[in-house]
Amino acid sequence: MTSNCYHWKKYNTLLLILGFALFLQTCSSSKKTAKQPKQGIEQESVLANIEKDSTQKLTKASPPEKIEKLSSPIDIDRMIVGMTLREKIGQLFFVDAYGYYKSNDDEAYQELITQIKENHVGGLIFFNGNIYGQSVLINKLQRISKIPLWITQDMEYGAAMRISGTTRFTPAMGVAATQNPDYAYWMGKITAQEAKAVGVHQIFAPVLDINNNPNNPVINVRAFSGNPQMVATYGNRFIEGVESEGLVATAKHFPGHGDTGTDSHISLPVIDYNYSRLDSVELVPFKSAIQNGLQSIMSAHISFPQLSDTPDVPGTLDKGILNRILIDSLRFDGMVVTDGLEMSGISSHFSPGRAVVKALKAGADLMLLSPDEATAINEVVHAVRTGEISESRIEKSVRKLLQWKKQHGLFEGTEIDIDALSAKINTRKNRVIADEIARGSTTLLRNKNNILPIRPSKFPEVLLISVADDESGNTGSYLARRIRDYHPNVNFHVFDNRSSEEEKQAMLKDAQDASLIIIGSFIYVRSGQPVQLDNDQLNFLKKLPSDKPKALLAFGNPYVVHDLPKTDVQLLAWSANSDQIRNTAPALFGGASIHGRLPIEIPGMYPIGHGIDLPQTTIRFDEPETVGFNVDSLRRVDKIMREAVFDSTFPGGVVSVLKDGVIAYQKAFGYQTYDKTEKVETGDIYDLASLTKVIATTTATMKLVDKGKINLDDKVSQYIPEYKQGEKKHITIKNLLLHESGLPPFRVYVDSLKDEISIIEAIKNEPLTYKTGSKYVYSDLGFILLGEIIEKVTGTTLDKYLRKEFYYPLGLSSTFFNPARFGSWMKNRIPPTEIDTVYRNKLINDEVNDERAYYLNGVAGHAGLFSNAFDLSVYAQMLLSKGTYGGREYINSKTITKFTKRQTDISDRGYGFDHKSEGFSTAGSLASPSTFGHTGFTGTSIWIDPERNMAIIILTNRTYPHRSYGKNISKVRARVADAIISSLISE
């Protein structure tokens, strides 16, 4: 702080001797001030300063003339003796501020200076702003104020309620839906951490109202529950979290704002209950919090005619509510804060000063948001002079506030460390916790015919209609993008107050073509607005085809299910912020478990505690910390891949890490070619080369073994007559899978044979080069034959069989043979693999790189499959889940175990799958011995570690521009794998 700050470190001896005389002098001065308001004086002084020195900083203020610096330790009573009456009264007022950048001559900034210097306000209540804007403004204002300012802010669902860029949490009701009170603690703790970092001392939260009225227009999801004890439990944990960081929590709105259908911002609500009802319901959480040492309570602008001698007076101004019930009966001795005095429940019935006088007499201490502070202060001064209220009553509240300021070290310095903010606010740790709460809050009320989890194979065409009570198209479009992460065909429309008749007709037309209609409800809780669907919205939604299944997603008001009771799916997600949407979308497709429980009753439909559990059955994208990775360590993967691109090991590539059902890392590096004109994207589709052997041919074989249509001990001769003679008659399916058939690794063939029939015949007649089963020789030829066998057994081509049995039902929309058939647009998504100067004499882009596979019409057992990182992650999870994905079994678990374990001493192979080898391995040195997978000639690999429940996928086009390139690919694979595994915190 500067020398202009009021440190209170030394107390003038003269003040001790002449204290009483000074008191009389200041009172006399106050009388003069009351007769001559100073608003105009400040304007003159600012103008004078500008004229005197245009470079003078307006944030500086002259040292106060009447109050000397006090000694340390601070003596609050002596401070009060040295304050004028106006200064004492001013300390009780809290004015609004907005945390955005303001120039020194900004009108709002100058008004704050006036409030601080002329009205001597005790603190500020910040509304909207951003991290740096609010922090810088607080620093400037604290330097101006003689007595340090007490900073307050509404932060019911995190600092993000008011400060953009901070951590946003699920609203209170969603937190209670998780069934985990510890989440309320962490919500309070992280909120307080971030609030403290930007200079806030008191948080106006939690809401301890019982939301037992579905028509409540202002509380709704802001309350934890409709059950008093549940509100008490979660509220206390939130308060504990806030206080663990040294901040003050404020419970609101006493004695209860939950059971009203009127918004106190607009008019005066009335709750006509007797004390017995209030004591058994509304007061339960407040009593519990007070017993636990609650420091502050905010009053409600609500009338309680059965509890008051003045039934038309709001509780904030009612002695019967604050003094008799809160202070006397409940023995609360903390700080009582009014709700905003500018609200119509107060301001339309009482002048600014009368409201403050009545609030003080009722028992309130701090006055928030008076509609006219200067007038109110003058009126309170007059009330003291006329004896209506005593100065000692004023001092009682001032003493509380100054004591708080002393306890929280404000007199020792209030400067916010701007440079430290980025290490304290919206950190990855904070976001991970907030995301976990958001996922846990998701509550499924209805799931007719098991629509969830949604399977693209069952519902190939999805229509999403975003229904909003304002122009919230961006929110709905964000939901559409997140749903498209898991479904390839999603049509999206916004229905709000801008929707034309033509747009409505287009929605209805698209609804006829959809196999599933998702209604995203973005009906928020806003002051002065209805919380249900309006007639126009309801009438439109009733026109949607009755024979189409419909899923209602409520991102806001949970009672909206009352309006659409016949929807087949009813899912509550509590809030429409992007973080909540991002954490809800995976649950629709099984990417996150659903286990929330309803914390309220939805009358006539669902009781408190209702909810349907669904397990996680598919993968989702999430932060690395969620599954135990150290992000800083994981960044080594970035360095390795960028070095490989720089060294021309490959022009670009994608790395994907799957662990515990979460894609915890997926990044793209470099470019599609060395021309560096087309950056690699994570969704790019790569030629998998020999990964085809496992993801296609081995997978199909496992399925056929399950069905009993193929046996591993079957002789190949059963399917290929040419193998009935000589040594070939001993070759089995098992030998082909283990690469122990006796066939050579490969033959060129295509230098003279350029059609499928000729190549297959040549392979069938290829002589053996060693005794079957005597050694391991990796052979493309054996897998080409295995692909032929699969086609004979299934009666269809390999690609069609896999598409039907695996790729389509698994939702692998980017996994296929022959991508060229999808049109020229596909080329942009496929990095080229080679400039062929021998056989095809062209750039190989959307055609298989392997020549034999190319002349086998692009579909072969050894090569030809294309895919991307996401699809391969799904495939890997299916194997890690022992053949099950999305709640459906694709391969028997015993078959998965059998095929993926090491089978012979001759090699490290499983059936089809490779295994981590002893010594150097492209799976890395840290992978567990049971790790299995495969590599591809074009620069692709997939390694699956079942002991760690993880998979590492690397996709590159290292063969570009010529297959002689990328010699270091094996080392890169190993280094990436080791960097990933060593990043696991538990390791």
Side-chain angles (χ1 to χ4, degrees):
M1 296 179 67
T2 68
S3 60
N4 290 329
C5 295
Y6 198 64
H7 288 293
W8 304 100
K9 291 182 178 177
K10 296 180 181 178
Y11 197 178
N12 193 301
T13 304
L14 181 62
L15 185 59
L16 289 172
I17 299 172
L18 301 176
F20 182 71
L22 180 60
F23 176 75
L24 294 177
Q25 179 184 350
T26 54
C27 287
S28 175
S29 173
S30 296
K31 291 179 181 179
K32 294 178 182 179
T33 303
K35 295 178 180 178
Q36 186 178 352
K38 295 184 178 180
Q39 285 88 333
I41 296 174
E42 177 65 15
Q43 293 171 7
E44 290 176 7
S45 66
V46 170
L47 181 59
N49 284 337
I50 294 174
E51 291 174 346
K52 189 181 296 184
D53 183 0
S54 61
T55 63
Q56 182 177 1
K57 293 183 179 180
L58 300 178
T59 56
K60 302 293 184 181
S62 299
E65 296 177 0
K66 296 176 183 173
I67 306 178
E68 302 293 336
K69 295 179 181 179
L70 299 184
S71 62
S72 181
I74 303 300
D75 188 325
I76 300 301
D77 290 333
R78 289 176 179 176
M79 289 175 59
I80 293 174
V81 169
M83 297 170 67
T84 68
L85 177 60
R86 286 185 64 84
E87 286 173 332
K88 294 173 189 175
I89 295 170
Q91 280 291 298
L92 305 183
F93 283 78
F94 281 63
V95 298
D96 63 317
Y98 290 81
Y100 298 106
Y101 166 80
K102 293 177 177 63
S103 64
N104 284 345
D105 58 358
D106 180 87
E107 183 178 353
Y109 178 62
Q110 288 299 314
E111 174 61 24
L112 287 172
I113 292 176
T114 299
Q115 293 282 16
I116 293 167
K117 292 175 64 177
E118 302 300 327
N119 293 331
H120 313 290
V121 296
L124 307 173
I125 174 170
F126 269 86
F127 282 74
N128 296 341
N130 54 55
I131 295 167
Y132 290 103
Q134 177 165 319
S135 300
V136 170
L137 181 59
I138 289 175
N139 276 346
K140 293 173 70 175
L141 296 177
Q142 289 286 23
R143 294 176 193 136
I144 290 170
S145 185
K146 294 191 300 183
I147 300 177
L149 298 165
W150 184 255
I151 308 300
T152 67
Q153 203 154 18
D154 271 322
M155 291 186 175
E156 294 172 15
Y157 49 82
M161 180 175 180
R162 296 299 188 200
I163 309 173
S164 62
T166 55
T167 304
R168 180 183 290 269
F169 287 91
T170 300
M173 194 174 289
V175 176
T178 67
Q179 309 168 79
N180 187 352
D182 287 343
Y183 283 149
Y185 172 86
W186 280 104
M187 179 185 181
K189 185 177 184 67
I190 292 171
T191 298
Q193 285 175 353
E194 299 189 352
K196 183 165 61 174
V198 296
V200 175
H201 308 116
Q202 181 175 7
I203 293 171
F204 294 141
V207 171
L208 293 189
D209 300 320
I210 317 296
N211 200 81
N212 44 15
N213 187 334
N215 296 318
N216 192 312
V218 67
I219 300 301
N220 203 278
V221 296
R222 297 168 62 194
F224 285 109
S225 173
N227 176 278
Q229 191 54 55
M230 187 178 293
V231 173
T233 298
Y234 283 84
N236 280 330
R237 289 298 278 153
F238 181 93
I239 293 167
E240 290 168 15
V242 171
E243 292 178 344
S244 72
E245 293 296 318
L247 265 64
V248 176
T250 306
K252 57 187 186 183
H253 308 80
F254 185 87
H257 202 321
D259 196 2
T260 174
T262 304
D263 186 350
S264 57
H265 293 85
I266 300 171
S267 58
L268 179 63
V270 177
I271 295 182
D272 197 14
Y273 291 137
N274 59 28
Y275 184 79
S276 176
R277 150 61 196 251
L278 201 71
D279 187 54
S280 63
V281 180
E282 279 78 10
L283 293 183
V284 169
F286 289 101
K287 289 191 293 184
S288 178
I290 290 169
Q291 290 168 4
N292 286 344
L294 176 68
Q295 299 178 65
S296 181
I297 280 179
M298 180 182 286
S299 63
H301 300 335
I302 297 178
S303 170
F304 296 85
Q306 292 196 42
L307 306 176
S308 175
D309 297 331
T310 53
D312 295 329
V313 174
T316 297
L317 314 184
D318 194 333
K319 293 180 182 179
I321 300 300
L322 297 186
N323 263 312
R324 190 168 72 239
I325 296 178
L326 177 59
I327 297 171
D328 293 342
S329 296
L330 302 187
R331 300 185 181 279
F332 179 68
D333 59 359
M335 190 79 77
V336 180
V337 181
T338 72
D339 206 343
L341 295 176
E342 92 290 5
M343 293 163 62
S344 294
I346 298 283
S347 61
S348 62
H349 301 284
F350 302 92
S351 71
R354 295 310 303 161
V356 172
V357 170
K358 292 185 73 64
L360 285 166
K361 293 170 73 172
D365 297 300
L366 303 184
M367 310 295 145
L368 303 189
L369 306 176
S370 170
D372 184 349
E373 286 82 10
T375 297
I377 291 171
N378 286 337
E379 289 188 51
V380 177
V381 168
H382 179 74
V384 173
R385 299 282 161 71
T386 59
E388 181 181 1
I389 189 169
S390 68
E391 190 163 353
S392 62
R393 171 65 191 90
I394 305 271
E395 291 176 354
K396 178 182 178 182
S397 294
V398 172
R399 184 173 286 104
K400 284 184 183 181
L401 179 59
L402 293 178
Q403 190 63 41
W404 266 6
K405 292 182 179 182
K406 176 182 176 180
Q407 290 173 351
H408 288 79
L410 269 65
F411 296 112
E412 299 168 10
T414 57
E415 191 79 10
I416 299 167
D417 185 352
I418 302 297
D419 292 336
L421 295 176
S422 58
K424 298 177 180 179
I425 296 175
N426 204 20
T427 61
R428 294 183 69 93
K429 177 183 176 182
N430 291 357
R431 294 198 302 273
V432 165
I433 294 172
D435 285 348
E436 184 176 326
I437 296 172
R439 285 194 303 275
S441 71
T442 307
T443 305
L444 182 61
L445 303 181
R446 193 177 192 209
N447 191 26
K448 184 179 179 182
N449 298 324
N450 295 318
I451 290 174
L452 297 190
I454 299 170
R455 296 181 188 141
S457 58
K458 184 177 180 181
F459 301 106
E461 300 289 339
V462 170
L463 171 64
L464 170 62
I465 299 177
S466 168
V467 182
D469 54 6
D470 67 352
E471 298 178 3
S472 299
N474 289 339
T475 304
S477 63
Y478 183 75
L479 173 61
R481 291 198 299 274
R482 296 290 71 85
I483 290 178
R484 285 170 180 151
D485 288 339
Y486 301 90
H487 196 293
N489 298 309
V490 179
N491 203 350
F492 169 63
H493 290 282
V494 176
F495 184 92
D496 60 22
N497 53 23
R498 300 167 299 174
S499 299
S500 65
E501 191 59 36
E502 290 77 13
E503 289 172 321
K504 294 177 186 178
Q505 292 304 314
M507 293 182 218
L508 294 175
K509 181 179 182 300
D510 288 342
Q512 292 292 343
D513 299 329
S515 49
L516 174 66
I517 300 171
I518 298 177
I519 301 168
S521 170
F522 297 96
I523 307 300
Y524 307 144
V525 180
R526 291 192 186 88
S527 178
Q529 295 188 14
V531 292
Q532 310 291 136
L533 294 170
D534 62 31
N535 289 333
D536 188 34
Q537 293 164 338
L538 278 173
N539 290 335
F540 171 76
L541 293 174
K542 288 177 181 178
K543 295 178 182 179
L544 295 172
S546 59
D547 60 334
K548 304 286 184 178
K550 301 174 188 67
L552 171 64
L553 312 183
F555 292 97
N557 176 27
Y559 298 105
V560 75
V561 297
H562 252 315
D563 297 332
L564 299 169
K566 295 183 179 180
T567 43
D568 302 282
V569 173
Q570 295 167 356
L571 186 75
L572 304 183
W574 311 107
S575 174
N577 71 78
S578 59
D579 295 324
Q580 189 77 29
I581 292 171
R582 176 172 50 81
N583 284 288
T584 300
L588 301 175
F589 299 88
S593 61
I594 299 176
H595 52 74
R597 291 292 182 271
L598 195 61
I600 54 172
E601 176 189 5
I602 298 183
M605 295 185 70
Y606 305 110
I608 289 179
H610 176 74
I612 300 170
D613 287 339
L614 285 182
Q616 180 182 351
T617 56
T618 62
I619 64 175
R620 71 171 185 273
F621 292 94
D622 214 329
E623 298 289 347
E625 295 95 334
T626 305
V627 288
F629 284 104
N630 180 294
V631 176
D632 292 334
S633 178
L634 199 58
R635 290 195 182 99
R636 287 180 295 169
V637 177
D638 300 20
K639 184 174 183 292
I640 293 168
M641 289 295 289
R642 287 178 181 134
E643 286 176 352
V645 170
F646 181 77
D647 293 340
S648 298
T649 302
F650 40 73
V654 177
V655 177
S656 185
V657 180
L658 174 75
K659 179 160 174 52
D660 299 336
V662 168
I663 297 179
Y665 177 101
Q666 189 173 100
K667 286 189 179 181
F669 303 90
Y671 297 82
Q672 291 192 359
T673 71
Y674 291 111
D675 294 337
K676 299 179 182 178
T677 57
E678 190 74 33
K679 279 191 171 183
V680 173
E681 304 289 342
T682 55
D684 282 356
I685 299 170
Y686 281 79
D687 181 341
L688 299 183
S690 284
L691 264 62
T692 305
K693 292 182 175 71
V694 291
I695 296 166
T697 311
T698 301
T699 301
T701 303
M702 286 192 286
K703 185 71 171 179
L704 294 173
V705 167
D706 272 355
K707 290 184 173 181
K709 295 187 176 182
I710 284 181
N711 191 293
L712 291 176
D713 293 320
D714 286 348
K715 303 290 186 182
V716 172
S717 59
Q718 292 179 222
Y719 309 99
I720 299 176
E722 290 86 346
Y723 275 53
K724 290 182 178 181
Q725 306 297 322
E727 290 298 315
K728 289 184 180 180
K729 67 183 178 182
H730 301 299
I731 300 175
T732 64
I733 299 293
K734 184 187 299 183
N735 294 138
L736 297 180
L737 288 166
L738 292 172
H739 297 275
E740 298 174 1
S741 64
L743 287 167
F746 76 98
R747 291 285 187 262
V748 175
Y749 295 134
V750 296
D751 53 353
S752 58
L753 305 175
K754 300 186 186 300
D755 64 89
E756 181 180 12
I757 294 175
S758 299
I759 294 172
I760 294 298
E761 285 302 312
I763 296 173
K764 289 178 179 178
N765 292 291
E766 187 68 45
L768 302 184
T769 59
Y770 62 94
K771 184 178 179 180
T772 300
S774 65
K775 62 179 180 178
Y776 160 74
V777 175
Y778 182 83
S779 174
D780 283 352
L781 306 187
F783 265 78
I784 293 174
L785 289 180
L786 189 54
E788 290 293 305
I789 292 171
I790 292 168
E791 292 191 350
K792 284 194 174 186
V793 171
T794 61
T796 188
T797 59
L798 181 65
D799 59 330
K800 290 181 179 178
Y801 179 73
L802 287 162
R803 189 71 184 156
K804 176 185 176 184
E805 295 292 333
F806 291 99
Y807 304 156
Y808 183 70
L810 278 168
L812 309 188
S813 59
S814 296
T815 302
F816 33 62
F817 292 85
N818 286 321
R821 72 180 186 272
F822 294 102
S824 59
W825 65 270
M826 182 62 72
K827 285 187 177 183
N828 296 329
R829 296 186 59 192
I830 303 175
T833 53
E834 190 175 8
I835 299 174
D836 186 354
T837 59
V838 178
Y839 299 107
R840 285 173 272 181
N841 294 306
K842 65 177 181 178
L843 175 71
I844 308 303
N845 186 189
D846 54 351
E847 297 174 353
V848 59
N849 176 267
D850 184 274
E851 295 86 5
R852 285 156 296 282
Y854 173 75
Y855 287 110
L856 289 170
N857 298 322
V859 181
H862 72 302
L865 192 65
F866 287 70
S867 190
N868 67 4
F870 178 81
D871 282 11
L872 294 180
S873 298
V874 171
Y875 175 81
Q877 185 60 50
M878 186 268 291
L879 295 182
L880 286 168
S881 299
K882 297 297 183 182
T884 300
Y885 190 82
R888 171 178 170 179
E889 183 181 82
Y890 291 86
I891 303 170
N892 183 273
S893 61
K894 292 181 179 179
T895 305
I896 296 285
T897 300
K898 185 174 184 177
F899 270 67
T900 57
K901 73 178 183 180
R902 187 176 280 105
Q903 295 294 327
T904 174
D905 294 333
I906 296 176
S907 71
D908 295 318
R909 311 291 300 200
Y911 290 130
F913 294 95
D914 197 1
H915 261 260
K916 177 191 174 182
S917 56
E918 295 182 6
F920 175 81
S921 171
T922 60
S925 62
L926 301 178
S928 70
S930 58
T931 298
F932 63 90
H934 215 283
T935 61
F937 180 72
T938 52
T940 60
S941 63
I942 180 169
W943 287 108
I944 300 170
D945 188 339
E947 292 183 24
R948 292 186 175 89
N949 195 30
M950 68 181 294
I952 299 172
I953 296 157
I954 303 175
L955 302 177
T956 77
N957 56 333
R958 70 99 192 163
T959 52
Y960 181 88
H962 303 293
R963 60 187 64 187
S964 60
Y965 277 58
K967 298 295 186 181
N968 292 326
I969 186 65
S970 295
K971 292 181 180 179
V972 172
R973 288 166 173 158
R975 289 180 64 203
V976 167
D978 282 345
I980 291 167
I981 295 173
S982 65
S983 299
L984 284 167
I985 296 171
S986 61
E987 298 283 323

